[in-house]
Amino acid sequence: MSIGLGIFLIAVGAILTFAVNVSVEWVDLDLIGYILMGAGLVVFIVGLALMTRKRRSVVTNRSTVDPATGGRIDTAERNDTL
């Protein structure tokens, strides 16, 4: 989601900077466009960093013998951490 938001902010900023030729005396649309493109780039990079972060999982296998039946009991425990 953050990658899409970053691309959207870059697109809106580029439209405000390069495509809109409206003069408003109380706001500079070019500056707002550059700010939106910069924010979109930051959001895009953060989204990529979060997406490429690796997940670690630890699986522990244990084998025991049931004293009553003499049968083998296998158990597996999984621990997922970020």
Side-chain angles (χ1 to χ4, degrees), residues 18-80:
F18 303 117
V20 176
N21 292 327
V22 176
S23 287
V24 181
E25 63 185 49
W26 51 273
V27 68
D28 186 9
L29 291 179
D30 289 340
L31 179 64
I32 291 175
Y34 285 123
I35 290 171
L36 285 176
M37 286 191 289
L41 184 64
V42 169
V43 169
F44 183 78
I45 290 172
V46 168
L48 281 179
L50 290 176
M51 187 177 72
T52 59
R53 189 171 62 172
K54 293 184 179 180
R55 296 186 71 170
R56 289 178 272 162
S57 62
V58 177
V59 178
T60 305
N61 294 320
R62 295 182 185 174
S63 297
T64 58
V65 177
D66 187 10
T69 61
R72 183 175 170 178
I73 300 173
D74 295 322
T75 58
E77 295 178 8
R78 183 176 180 152
N79 183 11
D80 292 330

